[in-house]
Structures are given as structure tokens and as C-alpha cells.
Amino acid sequence: MKYSGYAYIYTIGCQMNVYDSEKLALILDSHGYEKTEDMDKADIVVCNTCSIRHKAEEKAFSFLGRFARIKKKKPHLITVMAGCVAQQEGEKAFARVPHLDVVLGTQAFSRFGGIIDAVKSGKQKVVDIEDSSMIYEALPDTSCFDENKSSKFVTIMQGCDNFCTYCVVPYVRGRERSRSPESIVKEITWLAAAGVKEITLLGQNVNSYGQKEDQISFPQLLAEVNEIKGIYRIRFATSHPKDLSNDLIYAIRDLDKVCNHLHLPIQSGSNKILKKMNRGYTREKYMDRILSLKKECPDIALSTDIIVGFPYETREDFNDTMNLLREIQFDSIFAFAYSDRSSAPAAKFPQQIAEAKKRERLNHLLELQEYYTEKKNKEQVGKILDVLVEGKSGKKRDGFDYAANNMEQMKGRTESNKIVHFPSRDTVIGDMIKIKIENAYLHSLWGHPLGV
Ligand code: 5AD
Ligand code: SF4
């Protein structure tokens, strides 16, 4: 195909946005735009935005703000704000970014092609924040734009019905809708044929996959994906603790490709705070799920999300969260200071916590978790683990003389999602190899491939 211009896509936020940006790239491709990593070459710039926290939102505005000057020199440049901030701001985005051409909401992606055509023929300041029930079915199947990737995300559902009081997702991504199993299996089969080895299935609450549509359940979907030839590993995110079923636990235990790792966001260790967050479970119910999981899958790696400094959080509530980390000993955590989102109910709660206090608590929590992350990593030393090769790694470790050995340092991931660095002469992206783990650090493991 002959291209008539270049497209630069900047993605902020979660894995779902990464997947969405690939879809946008495909639409741009079919409209004559070649993807570029060089912003200066761009004829169209798309910023795929995130509004989960204030900082992510500011990042979008500051990125797009840079183009005011560039557009003066390059008037044909089209600038697009896509995704969650676009959905949230609508028309108002033009007040903050006057040179913006398109505001493309989260459910408008299937109409993006038509919008580009309209802008190219002179239409100005287009806003599309309308609903759509067919979100992914109407979009092109993912292609391997990034040929160097052995791992890909596939979104299986959109939106959320849970309305946690801190969260904007139900407002910017709409109500929960699931894709058909056929379209998911078709897309993954296609990806497998293109060389992808690992799939991460994405949804805000994968446990309720297909329930509204009266389709197969999430564990049944996992079983179908497990049958796809060429796929070595299946991951998924995110599970909601209130809906984590025994069937899902059995699926993790029994399906050979489903990784022995679960990301299960707890958000807080205090029952009072969990209630104010509208999470729908208690600390005890969460612990019960973890115990069931560990009974069936004793070596399972666990990760979680935590918010500190939620309104009403006292020192005791925060200590409950610290103690929960001590009790469960997660392999890793994602921790955030609570960020006020005006469309979410918690913004109106009294007793907001001072920013400095939130930062202090966050630092305390992260410091405690570092101990457990390193401990869990050290437990891997001496083990022989299957590692899916992801590519070359930048950091050199352990004083190994790569040049003298005619080797390169590569990196890959274990089933438990830990990064492993290793020396190698002939492994390539997508290989699954056995590595003897020799050293462990806070952020990664180090070892040698067997037989080298
Ligand atoms: N402030 C801070 N963190 C948030 N998250 C969601 N909303 C907010 C907010 N308003 C976190 C939750 C969620 C993760 C994706 O982002 O921990 O699980
Ligand atoms: Fe947000 Fe809660 Fe839905 Fe997760 S489950 S997307 S935190 S509302």
C-alpha cells in the first residue's frame, strides 16, 4: 500500500489503551498513514489518553499542548485526543487545547476512519463521544505492527458496572459489555499464526465476562483459548475479588497455558475504607479467596493494587493495609496515592487526606513491599524456570564478560511474571527456554540458560 503521510501515536495509561492504540494504528494504516516513532515526521498525531488519576490527565494535556507551535509551521498536521480524557472532556477539550482537531471518545473508535476523511476535507473541531454497543467487533483484527512482540493484549470486555467510589472508569468507558467468544478466539488464532506466544486477556472485571450477554463464562473462555495452537501462555487482568469464582481457581490450576499468577486488586486492608470505596467485599472475604487459591495452586504468584490516602483513611486504616501486605506477602504491588476525580463520588467525601500525608503513606507502603518483592525473588534462586524470551536487555549484570563469550544479554519473563536477564548466543524473541536462576534482585532475576 502506498502511504500518503505519517502517524504518531502516543499512549498513556493501562494495557487496554495499548490495545486500543493498535486498533487506531490499523485504522490510520487503512487511511494511508504509516506509523512512525519520529514525532517530527508526523502528519497526524493521536494522543490516547487516561483519566484514572490527575497526573495521567495532565500528561495528555501537556503532550498535546506542544503541538500549538508545531501546527503553526505545519498547518496540515491533524491532532487527535482519543480515549478516556476525550470522553470525559468532550467539547471542553478545545478550551484547553485550542489547536486540537478531533476529540475521539472511548466508544467512537469504529467511526475514526470517517472522521479522518471529514477532517481532511476541511471539517473542523470534530467531537464524537457517542455510545456504541459494538466496540471491538467493528474494528479491524489486531495485526503485528510490532513484529518484535511475543506477547499481546486482547481486550475481551469494555466498561464497568461496579462503581467503586474513587473510579472514573464506569463514567468514561460506560457500562460493561463483553465481546463474543468467537471474535476473541478468531483474533487470538490470527495472532498465534503471526507468531505471538503469550496473550493477556483484558477487561475491568473479567470474572463477569459474558454474564450479561448470556455467553460462555470466563473460565470457559480460558478453556477455549487454551486450545489455540501456537499460544504458550495465557494471562488475564483484572479480577475483582468479589466475583473470583472457584471455577476460575480450578481453571488456573488445570489449564496448562494459564499462568500461575493472579492480579487481584485489594485497594485497602481496612473494612471501613473498603466499604466507603464500595468494593463489595471485606478483608476477610479477600483472605478467604486467597486461601482457596493457595490451596489449589500452592505456588501461585500474587499481585495487587492499593490506594492510600482515600478519604477517611486514618493511621489505623493505613496500618491495616500495611499488615495485610505482611500477611499475604504479594510478589508485587501497584500502589497509588488517591487522586480526586470530579466525576467519581469520592470527590465529594469530606475528610480528604492532605497530599503530603498521602505521599508519606505511599512511601511507607512501597518501602515495606520492596522487602517482600525482593524476598519472593530470592526464593527463585536455584530453581529452573521456563522463560519466554522478550528481547535484548539493556542492563548488564554480574560482571559477566559478554563480548569475550560472544554473547548478548537477553531478557524474558517467568510464568509468575518476573523479569529474568540471561546471557545468550542464539535465542530469539518468542523462544521458551529453561533458565537456572542464580541471582535475585529487587526488580529482576539473573540466570543461565540450561546447557550454556
Ligand atoms: N486514585 C488513585 N488510584 C486509582 N485507581 C483507580 N482510581 C484511582 C484514583 N482515583 C487505581 C486502582 C485501580 C488501578 C487501575 O488504579 O488501584 O485498581
Ligand atoms: Fe473502577 Fe472499580 Fe470498575 Fe475497577 S471495578 S474499573 S476500580 S469501578
Side-chain angles (χ1 to χ4, degrees), residues 160-164 166-170 204-205 240 267 279:
C160 185
D161 289 349
N162 288 312
F163 293 94
C164 300
Y166 51 80
C167 186
V168 289
V169 169
Q204 304 297 346
N205 181 7
H240 197 302
Q267 312 298 0
R279 289 290 290 173

Side-chain angles (χ1 to χ4, degrees), residues 181-367:
E182 294 77 27
S183 81
I184 297 166
V185 168
K186 184 169 147 251
E187 184 166 73
I188 298 174
T189 307
W190 196 97
L191 287 169
V196 170
K197 308 288 187 223
E198 179 182 85
I199 288 292
T200 305
L201 304 175
L202 302 177
Q204 304 297 346
N205 181 7
V206 293
N207 309 89
S208 54
Y209 170 80
Q211 276 172 16
K212 273 188 182 171
E213 290 79 7
D214 216 11
Q215 284 169 182
I216 58 171
S217 68
F218 184 61
Q220 287 168 324
L221 179 72
L222 283 175
E224 289 205 4
V225 177
N226 199 63
E227 294 301 311
I228 299 175
K229 285 205 181 64
I231 295 297
Y232 298 167
R233 281 183 176 166
I234 305 165
R235 303 185 186 277
F236 57 88
T238 296
S239 292
H240 197 302
K242 78 178 167 54
D243 299 320
L244 176 63
S245 66
N246 286 338
D247 282 349
L248 181 57
I249 295 178
Y250 303 148
I252 300 171
R253 184 193 63 190
D254 298 336
L255 297 171
D256 59 328
K257 295 178 184 173
V258 174
C259 289
N260 205 18
H261 168 224
L262 187 70
H263 183 66
L264 196 63
I266 174 115
Q267 312 298 0
S268 170
S270 149
N271 280 338
K272 178 190 101 189
I273 297 296
L274 287 171
K275 192 144 198 258
K276 298 229 180 265
M277 288 177 164
N278 191 32
R279 289 290 290 173
Y281 56 83
T282 57
R283 178 191 175 115
E284 291 71 30
K285 164 103 194 276
Y286 186 92
M287 286 308 300
D288 167 74
R289 295 287 69 202
I290 294 286
L291 289 178
S292 303
L293 199 60
K294 287 201 164 166
K295 183 163 162 262
E296 302 301 332
C297 317
D299 295 328
I300 193 150
L302 293 169
S303 55
T304 199
D305 289 345
I306 287 174
I307 298 177
V308 299
F310 188 73
Y312 303 100
E313 187 187 74
T314 61
R315 175 136 291 278
E316 288 70 45
D317 296 317
F318 175 66
N319 280 337
D320 286 346
T321 303
M322 293 283 277
N323 284 330
L324 184 103
L325 292 200
R326 293 185 181 103
E327 198 175 337
I328 297 185
Q329 305 194 5
F330 292 99
D331 290 71
S332 61
I333 66 165
F334 297 91
F336 313 97
Y338 167 70
S339 172
D340 229 6
R341 312 283 59 216
S342 56
S343 47
K348 298 191 185 65
F349 288 0
Q351 297 193 39
Q352 298 280 334
I353 310 296
E355 284 305 319
K357 177 80 41 206
K358 287 184 202 169
R359 295 281 139 211
E360 188 192 309
R361 288 182 184 169
L362 185 61
N363 289 338
H364 258 107
L365 192 87
L366 290 172
E367 203 178 305

Side-chain angles (χ1 to χ4, degrees), residues 7 16 84 95 280 414 418-419 435:
M16 237 175 228
C84 296
T414 66
K418 299 184 196 315
I419 292 176
I435 296 201

